[in-house]
């Protein structure tokens, strides 16, 4: 505050009279104030001022020699203050820009990152231009203080301006320091931004290649590493080769990404650990994909080698069968003919020994790593055929050797029955060779859906010597059983692959009516289970009987529990037929039928399991007819009884599923033992007698179901509908628990009648069967239940 740093006040009085008078008067009034604060010296003239101040410190108007221009001083001071303000603004701009760089979050896409980097670079160069302009301004201002000396006056002037020069010089130094610091900060920031952008591009490339490898890994994982046939394995090898080509392309891209990562690491990238980790991960995925494809290729190639060997063995069997079937037996009656035929056989055996003497154990050992249950079955099937062919050759060789030893004409055996060979593309039936020798007297060879079927010789020492016809017919029935079993399995396979599997095919789903979708279990029932049983188990059991016909009965007895699956199939049959009737005209079935080249509709093939079940008992009866003196007759009889019981059980269960109105679970009553229609009269009861009971002279028609735990009375409803739409149902009336049932075997008036009474004859029912045999069958079954309860 005033007076501040003032120590002395010198007042130069004006020279004019009036001015001096006014000054003196005014000073007198304020003199006391001045005296209180600082001393005041009143000067009358300029010369008096020189006694206090040196003339070099005074300007010319005060009698001094100091060169001073006030307007020039004002200009310099204004320039210095403006320069200082500009430097301050530059500092604020640099600080604001640095804060923006440090606090702004970076986006997640490469385009935005590149755009931000470009904008910041542009702003950096703009700030650099501003700093350069301000520096140029400061240097220009500083140079104005450094003009050449111009005598004593100039020296005085320089002594007056050292403070201004130092101020400008200090501001220029600060500006230079700020620029240097800003350049260093920007260089680090730009390097980090560029590395961030490089990392983002690297991670994007890494993720793309990784996802592509994982997707290809999933695709090749769905491709099985085995196959059931040569064409299937070759197709899978071709598909795998396609995957391998794609994998090599991806591995090449992965190598490029890994190389990029190594370059980033070599340039001391700030995310060095992450980049190295992702490079290692990509290398691991590439190695796993490559190793998995190589492993699968090796397995498929090995599987193809196995199929090729099996195919070669089957081809050898075909050639052997062709050789035997085309040997003209009339020319073999002589010694020369027999010797030539024997030589032909020996040459063939010598050239084909590698295939005919194939050891299944060696195959299992060589191809153990690729063996599946299907391949094992194929090896077993081929082995059976090889054994049959070897047996045929041994029999033929034995006969020819006997001819050569005895030099006599052999006895011509009678064929089992003459039959016209089917037309076939096989060379066996070609016009070149003719069919004069058919059927061959020693062996029977027949083409089938499974290739060549080899039948054993039509005589066997195990049969009696009543004549050649009996063993021949016995063998023919066995051959028919096996051959029809193969056809049956093949038909089931075509239905499951040509219809059922196509219901899951997206290209075929659009052809299906809505009512059919997701209902293949209703249409086909448990046919897949039946196919697996026959294809994997029962067919092979029957084929093993070619060399041991006495085991046919055992085949059925050992698997009698498995045949119960037919009961489930038959119970589902009404639902299947109902669904088929709704959809039989759909485009889906028409297209599928055309693809399979079937002449019959699907409904005919859905009936095959039921027909096959009936066929078994007919073939077993036929086999028993010609097996009176063979081993295994007892087992054949038991097998026939088992199949008849199965048919009866299936038939009973089919009726059971038509029962309506029963409040409960029929399965809790046990197994259905018998069922049938009867005439029933209701007898007297204890307690009041109802008039309708006394007046009932006409019998009620009731359908009885005998369960293990109850006897169920139903009323059969009339069939309604036309043709396939005819359905029968049984309306539940009442039931009797077997633990409270009694029977009276004979009733007066008719030998077909018997009594069933309940709870100590509280309820009595007179039941009349259609025949006496049927009555006895029911009584025997009821007795078994009652005796079992007593035990």
């Amino acid at each position: 505050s005033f007076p501040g740093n003032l120590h002395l006040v010198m007042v130069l009085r004006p020279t004019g009279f009036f001015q001096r008078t006014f000054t003196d008067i005014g000073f007198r009034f304020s003199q006391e104030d001045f005296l209180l604060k600082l001393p005041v010296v009143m000067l009358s003239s300029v010369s008096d001022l020189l006694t206090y101040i040196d003339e070099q410190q005074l300007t010319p108007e005060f009698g001094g020699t100091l060169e001073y221009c006030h307007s020039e001083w004002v200009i310099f001071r204004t320039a210095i203050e403006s320069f200082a303000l500009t430097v301050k603004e530059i500092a604020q701009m640099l600080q604001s820009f640095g804060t923006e760089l440090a606090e702004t979050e970076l986006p997640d896409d490469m385009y935005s990152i590149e755009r931000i980097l470009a904008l910041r670079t542009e702003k950096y160069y703009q700030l650099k231009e501003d700093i350069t302009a301000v520096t140029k301004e400061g240097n220009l201002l500083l140079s104005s203080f450094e003009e050449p000396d111009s005598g004593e006056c100039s020296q005085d002037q320089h002594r007056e301006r050292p403070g201004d020069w130092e101020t400008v010089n200090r501001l220029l130094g600060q500006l230079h320091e700020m620029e240097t610091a800003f350049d260093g900060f920007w260089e680090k920031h730009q390097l980090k931004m560029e590395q961030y952008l490089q990392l983002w591009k690297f991670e994007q490339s890494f993720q793309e290649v990784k996802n592509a490898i994982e997707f290809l890994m999933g695709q090749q994982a769905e491709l099985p590493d085995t196959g059931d046939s040569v064409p299937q394995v070759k197709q899978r090898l071709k598909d795998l080769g396609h995957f391998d080509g794609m994998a090599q392309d991806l591995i090449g891209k992965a190598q490029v990404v890994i190389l990029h990562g190594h370059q980033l690491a070599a340039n001391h990238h700030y995310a060095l650990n992450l980049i190295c980790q992702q490079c290692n991960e990509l290398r691991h995925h590439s190695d796993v994909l490559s190793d998995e494809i190589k492993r699968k290729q090796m397995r498929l190639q090995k599987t193809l080698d196995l199929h090729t060997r099996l195919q070669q063995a089957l081809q050898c069997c075909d050639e052997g069968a062709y050789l035997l079937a085309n040997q003209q037996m009339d020319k073999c009656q002589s010694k020369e003919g027999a010797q030539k035929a024997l030589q032909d056989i020996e040459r063939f055996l010598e050239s084909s020994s590698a295939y005919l003497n194939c050891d299944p154990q060696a195959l299992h050992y060589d191809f153990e790593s690729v063996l599946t249950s299907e391949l094992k079955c194929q090896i077993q099937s081929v082995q059976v055929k090889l054994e049959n062919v070897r047996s045929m050759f041994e029999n033929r060789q034995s006969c020819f050797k006997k001819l050569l030893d005895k030099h006599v004409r052999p006895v011509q055996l009678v064929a089992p029955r003459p039959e016209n060979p089917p037309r076939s593309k096989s060379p066996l039936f070609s016009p070149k060779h003719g069919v004069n020798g058919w059927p061959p007297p020693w062996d029977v060879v027949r083409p089938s859906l499974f290739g060549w079927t080899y039948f054993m010789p039509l005589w066997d020492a195990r049969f009696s010597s009543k004549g050649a016809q009996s063993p021949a017919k016995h063998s023919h029935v066995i051959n028919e059983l096996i051959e029809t079993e193969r056809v049956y399995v093949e038909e089931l396979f075509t239905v499951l692959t040509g219809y059922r599997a196509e219901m899951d095919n997206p290209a075929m789903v659009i052809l299906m009516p809505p009512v059919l979708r997701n209902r293949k279990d209703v249409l086909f029932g448990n046919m897949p289970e039946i196919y697996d049983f026959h294809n994997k188990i029962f067919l092979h059991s029957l084929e093993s009987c070619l060399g041991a016909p006495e085991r046919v009965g055992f085949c059925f007895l050992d698997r009698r529990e498995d045949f119960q699956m037919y009961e489930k199939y038959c119970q589902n049959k009404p639902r299947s037929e109902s669904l088929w009737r709704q959809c039989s005209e759909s485009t889906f079935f028409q297209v599928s039928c055309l693809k399979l080249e079937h002449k019959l509709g699907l409904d005919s093939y859905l009936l095959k399991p039921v027909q096959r079940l009936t066929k078994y008992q007919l073939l077993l009866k036929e086999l028993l007819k010609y097996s009176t003196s063979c081993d295994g007759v007892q087992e054949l009889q038991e097998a026939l009884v088992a199949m008849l019981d199965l048919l009866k059980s299936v038939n009973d269960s089919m009726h059971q599923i038509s029962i309506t109105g029963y409040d409960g679970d029929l399965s809790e009553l046990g197994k259905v033992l018998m069922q049938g229609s009867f005439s029933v009269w209701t007898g007297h009861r204890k307690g009041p007698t109802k008039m309708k009971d006394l007046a009932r002279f006409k019998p009620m028609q009731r359908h009885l179901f005998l369960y293990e735990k109850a006897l169920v009375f139903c009323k059969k409803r009339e069939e309604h509908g036309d043709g396939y739409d005819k359905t029968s149902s049984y309306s539940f009336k009442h039931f009797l628990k077997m633990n409270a049932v009694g029977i009276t075997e004979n009733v007066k008036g008719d030998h077909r009648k018997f009594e069933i009474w309940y709870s100590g004859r509280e309820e009595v029912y007179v039941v009349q069967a259609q025949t006496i045999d049927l009555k006895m069958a029911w009584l025997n079954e009821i007795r078994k239940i009652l005796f079992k309860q007593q035990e």
Side-chain angles (χ1 to χ4, degrees):
S1 61
F2 184 83
N5 294 326
L6 295 177
H7 299 283
L8 177 65
V9 176
M10 289 176 283
V11 180
L12 184 61
R13 298 173 66 190
T15 56
F17 173 76
F18 291 106
Q19 292 177 341
R20 180 177 293 183
T21 302
F22 287 128
T23 302
D24 291 341
I25 293 172
F27 184 74
R28 285 193 184 96
F29 282 107
S30 60
Q31 185 176 10
E32 292 181 359
D33 295 333
F34 281 101
L35 291 175
L36 289 173
K37 296 179 181 178
L38 48 90
V40 178
V41 177
M42 301 298 292
L43 301 176
S44 300
S45 63
V46 174
S47 58
D48 293 339
L49 184 62
L50 294 174
T51 60
Y52 291 94
I53 302 174
D54 189 88
E55 62 180 0
Q56 293 180 352
Q57 299 295 322
L58 295 174
T59 59
E61 61 264 30
F62 291 107
T65 59
L66 178 64
E67 293 291 337
Y68 171 75
C69 180
H70 184 68
S71 61
E72 184 181 345
W73 180 87
V74 170
I75 291 172
F76 274 111
R77 289 306 303 174
T78 303
I80 292 171
E81 291 176 1
S82 176
F83 176 67
L85 182 62
T86 304
V87 171
K88 183 178 179 181
E89 290 176 353
I90 289 292
Q92 290 176 349
M93 289 170 62
L94 294 180
Q95 184 178 3
S96 175
F97 184 58
T99 304
E100 179 186 346
L101 296 182
E103 295 181 355
T104 303
E105 293 185 2
L106 295 176
D108 294 332
D109 61 291
M110 185 171 61
Y111 173 76
S112 299
I113 295 172
E114 291 177 339
R115 179 171 175 79
I116 287 177
L117 182 58
L119 291 174
R120 288 180 176 180
T121 303
E122 183 181 353
K123 192 169 184 180
Y124 164 76
Y125 285 116
Q126 182 64 43
L127 287 172
K128 285 287 291 181
E129 290 178 2
D130 294 342
I131 293 173
T132 302
V134 172
T135 303
K136 185 177 179 180
E137 179 185 348
N139 289 329
L140 183 62
L141 185 61
L142 189 63
S143 64
S144 64
F145 296 111
E146 298 175 352
E147 295 178 356
D149 293 340
S150 57
E152 295 180 356
C153 292
S154 298
Q155 292 177 359
D156 294 337
Q157 189 176 16
H158 284 302
R159 283 195 297 270
E160 189 68 27
R161 296 183 180 177
D164 297 336
W165 183 88
E166 290 178 359
T167 300
V168 173
N169 192 46
R170 186 179 69 254
L171 289 173
L172 282 172
Q174 292 176 359
L175 188 63
H176 178 69
E177 290 175 0
M178 283 190 297
E179 183 180 13
T180 303
F182 177 63
D183 287 340
F185 173 76
W186 171 255
E187 184 178 350
K188 291 180 182 179
H189 173 76
Q190 187 180 32
L191 177 62
K192 190 171 183 180
M193 283 288 292
E194 289 175 351
Q195 288 186 344
Y196 178 80
L197 188 60
Q198 291 169 349
L199 178 63
W200 201 93
K201 292 179 179 179
F202 172 77
E203 287 187 327
Q204 188 179 36
S205 301
F206 162 78
Q207 199 62 44
E208 288 176 358
V209 176
K210 179 186 174 184
N211 292 341
I213 290 177
E214 290 178 347
F215 177 74
L216 187 59
M217 193 75 180
Q219 279 190 318
Q220 70 84 26
E222 294 176 359
L223 185 68
D225 57 1
T226 184
D228 298 332
S229 64
V230 171
Q232 188 181 62
V233 175
K234 285 184 176 179
Q235 181 60 42
R236 287 175 180 173
L237 274 171
K238 182 179 178 182
D239 295 341
L240 193 61
H242 175 65
F243 287 146
D244 188 35
M246 297 172 62
Q248 293 305 318
D249 292 341
L250 282 178
I251 291 173
K253 292 179 181 179
Q255 292 298 330
V256 173
V257 175
I258 292 172
L259 180 61
H260 183 205
H262 288 168
Q263 291 174 348
L264 294 179
N267 292 330
H268 306 288
H269 197 283
Y270 70 86
L272 176 64
N273 293 334
L274 176 63
I275 292 172
C276 292
Q277 177 186 348
Q278 291 183 343
C279 287
N280 293 333
E281 183 178 354
L282 205 56
R283 189 179 294 107
H284 171 71
H285 282 299
S286 301
D287 293 342
V288 169
L289 176 62
S290 179
D291 293 344
E292 183 63 20
I293 289 179
K294 288 179 181 177
R295 182 195 69 80
K296 193 163 288 188
Q297 281 178 331
M298 290 177 61
R299 284 183 60 85
L300 283 172
Q301 188 59 49
K302 203 164 187 179
T303 304
L304 181 62
D305 294 341
L306 175 59
H307 278 297
T308 302
R309 290 178 64 173
L310 293 177
Q311 224 177 30
Q312 290 171 343
L314 290 175
Q315 184 179 357
C316 178
C317 292
D318 293 345
E319 292 173 355
Y322 174 81
L323 174 65
L324 295 179
N326 286 277
Q327 285 183 334
Q328 298 182 11
M329 303 314 301
D330 55 343
K331 294 183 180 180
C332 296
Q333 305 295 330
S334 64
K335 178 180 178 181
E336 292 77 11
Q339 189 170 8
K340 183 179 181 304
L342 189 59
Q343 289 174 353
D344 292 340
I345 291 175
E346 289 173 350
R347 278 197 298 270
F348 176 80
L349 292 177
E350 183 179 356
S351 63
S352 306
S353 59
Y355 305 119
L356 287 178
N357 299 323
C358 178
D359 183 10
Q361 295 299 327
L363 285 178
H364 279 272
Y365 179 78
D366 294 340
F367 298 96
E368 182 179 6
S369 60
V370 298
L371 284 183
T372 62
S373 56
E374 289 79 8
L375 286 174
K376 289 178 181 178
C377 291
Q378 289 187 28
I379 292 175
Q380 183 180 357
S381 176
V382 170
Q383 184 62 23
V384 169
K385 293 181 180 180
L386 286 172
E387 289 175 358
N388 290 338
V389 171
R390 284 197 295 266
S391 175
M392 292 162 60
F393 273 104
E394 289 171 2
N395 291 335
R396 187 66 64 89
Q397 281 180 306
S398 176
C399 291
F400 284 148
K401 286 177 181 179
K402 289 179 181 178
L403 283 174
L404 292 175
D405 291 339
K406 296 181 180 180
H407 303 290
V408 295
R409 182 187 177 111
V411 178
Q412 178 73 23
L413 294 175
V414 180
R417 65 180 182 185
E419 61 179 8
N420 295 324
R423 295 183 62 84
S424 171
K425 296 180 180 179
S426 167
L428 180 62
F429 305 104
S430 64
K432 178 180 177 182
H433 300 94
V435 292
N436 294 331
W438 180 267
W442 281 274
D443 314 285
V444 178
V445 187
R446 182 183 301 171
S448 73
L449 291 174
F450 292 82
W452 290 99
T453 302
Y454 307 103
F455 297 115
M456 296 300 295
L458 299 182
W459 67 91
D460 196 314
R462 287 169 292 190
F463 295 110
S464 64
S465 58
K466 292 182 180 181
Q469 280 287 37
S470 180
K473 291 183 178 180
H474 181 276
S475 180
H476 179 77
V477 175
I478 293 178
N479 293 333
E480 184 180 357
L481 173 62
I482 297 173
E483 179 67 11
T484 53
E485 182 71 13
R486 288 169 176 159
V487 174
Y488 174 55
V489 170
E490 180 71 14
E491 289 175 336
L492 292 182
F493 177 76
T494 58
V495 170
L496 293 175
T497 56
Y499 286 102
R500 192 178 189 275
E502 288 296 296
M503 293 177 72
D504 295 325
N505 183 358
M508 296 291 288
V509 169
I510 58 176
L511 303 178
M512 293 167 51
V515 70
L516 186 60
R517 294 175 185 174
N518 300 320
R519 301 192 69 189
K520 61 183 179 182
D521 291 335
V522 175
L523 186 62
F524 297 94
N526 62 330
M527 184 181 283
E529 181 186 10
I530 294 174
Y531 168 73
D532 287 340
F533 164 65
H534 285 272
N535 182 49
K536 297 178 181 178
I537 300 174
F538 194 62
L539 175 58
H540 299 297
S541 298
L542 290 179
E543 287 179 334
S544 66
C545 297
L546 283 171
E550 69 277 2
R551 289 199 51 80
V552 173
F554 286 102
C555 289
F556 284 89
L557 293 176
D558 291 344
R559 302 295 176 186
R560 84 174 96 192
E561 295 299 326
D562 294 317
F563 277 102
Q564 295 298 322
M565 66 181 67
Y566 277 89
E567 187 170 325
K568 181 179 178 181
Y569 183 83
C570 292
Q571 288 178 354
N572 181 70
K573 199 70 177 66
R575 297 174 64 208
S576 173
E577 289 176 350
S578 175
L579 182 59
W580 164 255
R581 287 195 295 271
Q582 297 177 55
C583 312
S584 59
E585 301 299 326
S586 71
T587 307
F588 171 79
F589 290 119
Q590 295 175 7
V591 172
S592 299
C593 187
L594 287 175
K595 285 183 179 180
L596 294 172
E597 298 181 356
H598 280 177
K599 295 181 180 179
L600 300 176
L602 175 61
D603 55 333
S604 299
Y605 290 93
L606 293 176
L607 199 59
K608 292 290 182 181
V610 181
Q611 294 172 339
R612 187 60 183 168
L613 203 59
T614 307
K615 183 73 172 178
Y616 284 135
Q617 58 94 13
L618 296 175
L619 288 171
L620 289 173
K621 286 179 181 178
E622 190 75 9
L623 199 57
L624 270 172
K625 186 190 302 183
Y626 303 113
S627 304
T628 54
S629 302
C630 300
D631 296 335
V633 174
Q634 181 65 30
E635 288 74 16
L636 276 177
Q637 291 175 341
E638 293 179 10
L640 176 59
V641 171
M643 295 310 294
L644 290 173
D645 288 345
L646 176 62
L647 283 171
K648 177 180 175 301
S649 176
V650 169
N651 184 52
D652 292 344
S653 67
M654 290 292 290
H655 285 277
Q656 173 193 325
I657 62 175
S658 299
I659 297 177
T660 61
Y662 179 75
D663 187 15
D665 188 357
L666 288 170
S667 62
E668 295 178 355
L669 303 181
K671 184 179 178 182
V672 179
L673 302 177
M674 300 192 78
Q675 57 82 28
S677 295
F678 295 87
S679 298
V680 179
W681 291 265
T682 303
H684 296 288
R685 305 179 182 181
K686 291 183 179 179
T689 302
K690 297 181 180 180
M691 289 300 296
K692 66 176 182 179
D693 295 333
L694 294 175
R696 190 182 294 280
F697 296 104
K698 279 189 174 184
M700 298 178 292
Q701 297 301 316
R702 291 289 182 263
H703 202 91
L704 273 57
F705 291 87
L706 179 60
Y707 290 85
E708 292 175 322
K709 298 181 181 179
L711 179 63
V712 177
F713 289 76
C714 296
K715 181 177 182 180
K716 184 176 181 180
R717 298 298 179 185
E718 293 297 330
E719 296 180 350
H720 59 276
D722 297 325
Y724 286 115
D725 292 329
K726 286 187 176 181
T727 56
S728 299
S729 63
Y730 302 96
S731 178
F732 172 79
K733 292 302 181 181
H734 62 280
F735 75 101
L736 309 177
K737 293 182 179 180
M738 292 305 295
N739 56 10
V741 163
I743 56 173
T744 303
E745 295 187 11
N746 296 312
V747 176
K748 292 181 180 181
D750 196 328
H751 295 297
R752 296 174 298 168
K753 292 181 180 178
F754 62 96
E755 264 187 359
I756 300 175
W757 42 271
Y758 187 66
S759 297
R761 300 187 71 83
E762 180 181 349
E763 298 178 20
V764 180
Y765 301 92
V766 177
V767 180
Q768 179 179 304
Q770 295 179 0
T771 63
I772 296 178
D773 291 340
L774 182 60
K775 165 190 169 181
M776 297 309 299
W778 273 75
L779 289 174
N780 290 334
E781 203 63 44
I782 294 174
R783 280 196 211 97
K784 289 179 185 178
I785 297 174
L786 298 180
F787 288 151
K788 187 175 181 180
Q789 290 176 353
Q790 291 178 357
E791 293 174 357

